[in-house]
Amino acid sequence: MIRRVSAAIAAGLLVAAGLAGCGGDSGSGSGNDDGKITMGFAQVGAESGWRTANTKSIQESAKAAGIELKFSDAQQKQENQIKAIRSYIAQKVDVIAFSPVIESGWDQVLKEAKDAEIPVILTDRAVDSKDTSLYETFIGSDFVLEGKKAGEWLVEDSKAAKGPVNVIQLEGTTGAAPANDRKSGFADAIKADPKIKVVASQDGDFTRAKGKEVMEALLKAHPETNVLYAHNDDMGLGAIEAIEAAGKKPGVDIKIVTVDAVKDGMTALSEGKINFIVECSPLLGPQLMDLAKQVVDGKKVEKRILTEETTFTQEQAKAALPERKY
Ligand code: GYE
């Protein structure tokens, strides 16, 4: 039944009152045949402002789309996500969506979903599975491009610099797609200027606390640092505290470029503590719900759907802040 009902939703023909009478054929549905699509969503965790906004977007848009959402928070642990996905399979949800904490190690559980004929949508982070039939589609950002934009900004900004440009890089969670890709995109772009060197690069797990802790240690080991590249705003904001505690001025003594553009990051940018932010949009919910309806309906969708994103200078942040939703 679920297939026919969701087709009706897509066509805009659904009359809520008619729903109750749509029982009968249980199809590949969730077992409760109220005609509603049930989605199991295995979230990474609550590590950053980006993640909080992403979770809110998913929960709100599921509600708006009339999709029943089963939501779990894996606290940044792959084994928790695998457990959650297995439980969604056991509950016979109509569609599974998840944001894989790291890229590797998903083939087995994705095969289990496929065998159970439950379509899977990757949101935000990708997997490195060779067999792309294990998921329907990926929706999210081009992280390599984000890293490249950060690097290109630094190359441009360093044109006037006389001496060496010594960069500390705070990486996202080791093995996560955005950590791998933001690192490689950045590395590629800074090749354009031999003055620019990454003097230290370490995992800050995408959190403010870890960003602060790692920056404290790296600053001691590399007092010559004059640039910080953080793979997200939160680590950058933690690092700002470490920089200030070391008696240096963030944004001036140490220039800072980050990725995300969440409100706290944009505020620091507008105050001159960050120099440049590459945007990464967390508002994937509406598109995800749309795709869920399509794949449950058996429709073919594009294999990789990329979000459009911009960048912000300090001036642009000041202008954009009042309208910023997250
Ligand atoms: O940039 C970071 C979060 O996967 C794109 O995860 C996401 C990243 C985001 O923790 O803040």
Side-chain angles (χ1 to χ4, degrees), residues 262-283:
V262 294
K263 242 199 191 122
D264 288 355
M266 292 286 274
T267 304
L269 180 61
S270 72
E271 289 168 350
K273 293 187 177 190
I274 294 179
N275 302 78
F276 191 69
I277 301 185
V278 177
E279 184 185 43
C280 177
S281 175
L283 305 180

Side-chain angles (χ1 to χ4, degrees), residues 47-48 50-51 124-125 143 178 182 206 231-232 260 280:
E47 74 282 3
S48 64
W50 190 100
R51 191 64 54 196
D124 150 39
R125 297 186 185 177
F143 300 133
R182 286 173 186 166
F206 281 128
H231 289 182
N232 78 344
D260 274 356
C280 177

